[in-house]
Amino acid sequence: MKKSVLWMMAVAFIMAACSNGNIFQAKEGEAEAYYQKGYDCDRKMQHRMAEYYWKTAMAETENSDKAEDLAIYAKSASRLTNLLSVRGEYQAALAVAVPAAERLEKQHCDTTSDYTNLLVYIGCCKSRFGMSKEDVHDFYERAYQMHMENIKKHRTDESYKNAIAGVINIAYNCNETKDYQEALLWTQHFGDLISEYEQRQGSSSDYIDRQYARYDIYRAIALEGLGRKEEAAEVFDHFRKTNYSQTPNGRILGVDYLSAAGRWTEAASSYESLDELVKERGGDYSLETLQKMVLKKYEANKKAGRRDSTVAVSLFVCDHLDSAVVQMRRLEAMELSTIRDTEAQKAEQQAQADGRRRLGGVIATLAVMLLLTLWTLNRMRARRRIQKDYADLTAAYQQLDAKSRMEERDATQQHLSHSIQATMSGSQLPHHQFFDIHAMTEKASMAGGDFYDAILRDEKLFFCVGDGVGEGLDASLSMMLAKSQFHSLAACIDDPARIVGMINQTMSSTGGNPMSATLFAGVLDLATGRLHYCNAAHRAPLLVGKSVDVVAADENVPLGINSSWNYTLQETTLAPSTLFFAYTNGLVDAENADHKPFGEDRMKGEALQSVYGKEMTPVHFIERMNSTLRRHIGSVTPKDDLTMLAILYRHDG
């Protein structure tokens, strides 16, 4: 008998078996199990796993119109949208929330709290992308009215808490986007809901106290943003009367207002609760905690003028960064392994289902032997094919996994580098009748470590220009430590060589995180024009007057290389109307499409040309130098950061 005829007979038997109800049915409750696994992972801070399980739960219920499946779909979409929006992935959150809301509306399942939450998240995410305030407000108002109708209909503890959570998200987002008038409106709704909930019999006093504390902080921030500072301070005093304000979580919550009000000393003191808060949450400083909380603690201490605390926080970041990155990689590896195992389990279940469908065709006749023979042969071929496919898939996955880990590590470090730069970017330049000063920094695609700073004290101008050695996170950390040290030391020490030496000792003692930077630090006496300076392997600056001269600067060694290096002190005198110009490698090393650098000769020529034809100012000088550089490099993307600082000495004695 021909093989094709045998297969036709086998198919006939299988169809007959299937017609008798032997086809495999999917397990009940599988989607709900995925949703619950996502919820459990989210509580354990395993956000990648939570995202995977909620996406799987949505996929499992995508084509179902059963009420219980739609409920799981709505809950999963709501949780997933919130997870993505908290991470700042607003576009991805909208990609989940918008089609989910449309599907629920189409299925007439748009009266649940999960659907209402989706409206809130859509409004919050769209506010980040320039959508009109009126349209965003419409989303908020629809969600609010639905919550109020749900309260009126049920008046349960859950209905009140769902409404309060929704309004909290709206008020917080309005403050984040600096729409303070709208924030004040929703904060008022927030307060009304708490007050109404408080009247319920059996309501939780701790919950009410916690929500009133949050209400006071959101209201204080909105009032501060509207310039109503006295009212904001009064509301904050009321916040301090809550029990929650005395807890570690409450003290950290209060920092949001203290930072907005510029009350940095109080903010820095509140951050002393950070260790206790982290201990309550598990005791580990994750990469997310370093970025979102420890860097803010650093900023608060710096702006409060707490030099020792600022340095201590800087070193703390350096000491904990490696362990945080290792922790992140370990967690990602565990989550990837779980996802892989889950996918393998699903594949095995599918394979078992296929096997049951095949076995369903077995009947108690002579044809069974024929079917089993054919099925066995096919199974052997399939097994060999599956083994080959599995081997290929495993190899491809390992390559993809290695590449993914590297890309995620680089992306994380780059994100943290930009966060550090955003915190440390620029400096408020001082003003004085005896000098004009201007500076600029342009960042390359890979975050680097360029920085400058200038402060005025005792009729002397203290300034510096530096460049963290390397690129990415190492350079950013070097920049952060060197700049914060200079700013603190210049407030009490006059000798630039001593300042540089002390910064070098600090950077040389960072243990397993070696840091290095070049630095030019100077102190200009405004009464005499005498400039004392110290150079730590940085590019020598220019003095631009009737001619262009290079400042005679000893190279020494970069910071962080040799803790015992004796840095030399040098001096020169600036004549009236002399312009001092300092810069980083990003100027002279910038290449055009032909790989030709801008070069020192071109820089000196442009410096001399800039003094002809019009009065020279630091702003004009730097803008002209930058314009010439841009013409030179054309469309080429710079590989290195660029920083320029110009000081025009005006005093004529």
Side-chain angles (χ1 to χ4, degrees), residues 30-42 45-61 72-73 75-77 79-81 83-84 87 89 96 331-349 397 408:
E30 200 165 54
E32 184 174 3
Y34 283 126
Y35 165 79
Q36 190 59 47
K37 287 180 180 179
Y39 179 80
D40 294 338
C41 288
D42 188 54
M45 308 299 288
Q46 298 173 359
H47 300 313
R48 185 167 182 169
M49 285 296 302
E51 179 182 353
Y52 166 77
Y53 282 127
W54 286 331
K55 284 182 176 178
T56 304
M58 291 180 66
E60 291 289 329
T61 56
I72 294 297
Y73 177 86
K75 288 196 295 185
S76 300
R79 293 279 185 182
L80 179 57
T81 301
L83 174 66
L84 294 171
R87 289 204 314 231
E89 299 176 17
V96 173
L331 182 60
E332 288 178 348
M334 181 184 68
E335 291 180 336
L336 284 171
S337 177
T338 303
I339 291 173
R340 184 169 63 246
D341 292 344
T342 303
E343 289 294 329
Q345 184 179 7
K346 289 170 62 179
E348 178 63 24
Q349 290 175 350
Y397 176 81
E408 289 184 7

Side-chain angles (χ1 to χ4, degrees), residues 25-231:
Q25 298 294 326
K27 290 182 180 179
E28 293 292 334
E30 200 165 54
E32 184 174 3
Y34 283 126
Y35 165 79
Q36 190 59 47
K37 287 180 180 179
Y39 179 80
D40 294 338
C41 288
D42 188 54
R43 290 174 63 88
K44 297 175 184 177
M45 308 299 288
Q46 298 173 359
H47 300 313
R48 185 167 182 169
M49 285 296 302
E51 179 182 353
Y52 166 77
Y53 282 127
W54 286 331
K55 284 182 176 178
T56 304
M58 291 180 66
E60 291 289 329
T61 56
E62 182 68 34
N63 299 315
S64 175
D65 56 359
K66 294 181 179 180
E68 56 270 26
D69 287 339
L70 287 170
I72 294 297
Y73 177 86
K75 288 196 295 185
S76 300
S78 176
R79 293 279 185 182
L80 179 57
T81 301
N82 180 55
L83 174 66
L84 294 171
S85 60
V86 168
R87 289 204 314 231
E89 299 176 17
Y90 304 112
Q91 196 68 46
L94 286 173
V96 173
V98 172
E102 291 175 350
R103 183 187 177 206
L104 294 173
E105 291 166 1
K106 186 177 180 181
Q107 296 286 345
H108 304 292
C109 296
D110 52 355
T111 58
T112 65
S113 60
D114 294 307
Y115 170 79
T116 308
N117 289 336
L118 286 174
L119 294 182
V120 173
Y121 298 143
I122 291 172
C124 291
C125 291
K126 283 184 175 291
S127 69
R128 308 289 180 138
F129 292 98
M131 189 176 186
S132 69
K133 293 182 179 180
E134 293 77 10
D135 290 336
V136 171
H137 180 81
D138 285 345
F139 276 102
Y140 293 160
E141 190 63 33
R142 282 176 58 195
Y144 178 67
Q145 292 303 327
M146 291 182 66
H147 276 307
M148 298 307 293
E149 290 173 7
N150 192 42
I151 289 175
K152 184 177 180 180
K153 183 178 180 180
H154 301 287
R155 295 203 175 276
T156 61
D157 193 79
E158 182 182 9
S159 64
Y160 274 98
K161 289 185 176 180
N162 283 336
I164 290 172
V167 175
I168 284 174
N169 283 329
I170 296 173
Y172 175 82
N173 191 72
C174 290
N175 274 330
E176 283 288 291
T177 57
K178 302 187 186 305
D179 191 355
Y180 298 117
Q181 195 64 53
E182 188 81 352
L184 210 56
L185 167 66
W186 289 106
T187 305
Q188 185 58 52
H189 287 325
F190 182 13
D192 293 341
L193 280 169
I194 304 171
S195 179
E196 186 176 337
Y197 174 77
E198 191 176 13
Q199 307 308 313
R200 286 176 47 80
Q201 184 177 5
S203 58
S204 169
S205 59
D206 288 342
Y207 174 81
I208 292 170
D209 178 78
R210 184 167 65 253
Q211 300 312 326
Y212 269 130
R214 185 175 282 112
Y215 161 79
D216 287 335
I217 288 300
Y218 289 177
R219 182 171 175 79
I221 292 173
L223 290 169
E224 183 72 23
L226 293 171
R228 296 159 63 177
K229 297 181 177 296
E230 293 183 1
E231 293 178 66

Side-chain angles (χ1 to χ4, degrees), residues 248-262:
N249 276 299
R251 287 191 286 271
I252 297 302
L253 173 65
V255 171
D256 290 342
Y257 161 75
L258 294 172
S259 299

Side-chain angles (χ1 to χ4, degrees), residues 429-465:
L429 296 175
H431 300 282
H432 195 280
Q433 60 180 335
F434 289 166
F435 68 83
D436 289 338
I437 186 170
H438 183 64
M440 64 153 286
T441 294
E442 290 188 359
K443 300 298 180 183
S445 57
M446 172 61 74
D450 279 16
F451 62 95
Y452 67 86
D453 199 5
I455 64 173
L456 186 63
R457 176 174 64 82
D458 301 332
E459 293 300 303
K460 294 179 181 179
L461 177 64
F462 294 74
F463 64 90
C464 72
V465 174

